Amino acid sequence: MDVIKIVVAGPSRSGKTCIVNYLSGFNSFLGSEYRPTIGLRISELEREISTTEKIPIELWDVGGDRNFENCWPAIIKDMAGCILVYNPSNVNHLKEIEFWYKTFKSDNCLVFAHCLSSEEYTKESMNNTKLPKTLSKIPVLTTNLDTPDRDKIFGSFDKLIAVAVKESKDAIENTVL
């Protein structure tokens, strides 16, 4: 099985690296001080998705700084899916998320409305998860890693990976035919 490349993108200070660390099993970084990702960081992991086969995955954690925008076409190349991350308690993030979707557009996409702390994980932040119409068909997962819902987070992630694996296998079959 080829490596499944998932791009994790969104505005600065939305928690992309925290999500990548959590999905990769690097929980020791949770709660540490903010350090922006400069350009790109790649995290590797393996997941078992409804079979005994371990799926190799690369999570491409894209820094939210648009100064690196000229690198994005190379990052998008061979992308099998995208996780968009924004902080629903930051009004500017809600305005920006459509830009990130249009830039890293994928039919296989998931949005994390990520609250950076349990204080932000309130009813008010839940009301700010209504996305623009262009993203209305994309699953939105409201998260907080202070008290993570492991089943919900990994269930959604595993569905994203399963679709990527199926599309990869279909593409290989089509080249053979």
Side-chain angles (χ1 to χ4, degrees), residues 40-135:
L40 173 72
R41 179 180 150 261
I42 300 171
S43 182
E44 297 177 333
L45 65 141
E46 288 184 334
R47 293 284 300 162
E48 272 186 39
I49 311 293
S50 70
T51 66
T52 56
E53 180 182 16
K54 287 193 179 213
I55 309 298
I57 302 164
E58 289 179 349
L59 295 176
W60 289 48
D61 179 5
V62 179
D65 186 342
R66 292 191 191 179
N67 288 331
F68 296 96
E69 200 168 341
N70 60 342
C71 300
W72 294 350
I75 293 169
I76 293 168
K77 186 179 182 320
D78 300 325
M79 174 177 78
C82 183
I83 298 173
L84 298 173
V85 181
Y86 78 101
N87 181 345
S89 59
N90 184 327
V91 179
N92 292 327
H93 282 194
L94 195 56
K95 293 174 186 173
E96 282 186 61
I97 197 68
E98 192 168 18
F99 164 81
W100 290 96
Y101 174 69
K102 288 178 179 177
T103 303
F104 291 93
K105 190 171 182 170
S106 172
D107 290 335
N108 189 21
C109 192
L110 174 64
V111 174
F112 278 47
H114 181 61
C115 302
L116 299 176
S117 68
S118 51
E119 291 83 35
E120 289 180 3
Y121 196 61
T122 62
K123 208 172 232 183
E124 181 182 309
S125 67
M126 302 297 191
N127 293 335
N128 288 338
T129 59
K130 186 164 170 52
L131 297 173
K133 266 190 170 172
T134 52
L135 287 92

Side-chain angles (χ1 to χ4, degrees), residues 13 17-18 21 28-29 31-38 41 61:
R13 300 185 85 102
T17 298
C18 289
N21 287 343
S28 61
F29 295 108
S32 60
E33 69 183 58
Y34 176 73
R35 281 182 257 152
T37 299
I38 307 299
R41 179 180 150 261
D61 179 5

Side-chain angles (χ1 to χ4, degrees), residues 113-170:
H114 181 61
C115 302
L116 299 176
S117 68
S118 51
E119 291 83 35
E120 289 180 3
Y121 196 61
T122 62
K123 208 172 232 183
E124 181 182 309
S125 67
M126 302 297 191
N127 293 335
N128 288 338
T129 59
K130 186 164 170 52
L131 297 173
K133 266 190 170 172
T134 52
L135 287 92
S136 64
K137 294 183 180 175
I138 298 173
V140 178
L141 187 66
T142 303
T143 60
N144 169 258
L145 297 181
D146 287 347
T147 55
D149 184 338
R150 184 173 174 76
D151 291 339
K152 186 168 78 170
I153 292 169
F154 280 101
S156 297
F157 180 62
D158 289 349
K159 285 179 189 172
L160 183 82
I161 299 304
V163 169
V165 168
K166 182 184 179 325
E167 288 176 355
S168 175
K169 287 180 179 179
D170 289 350

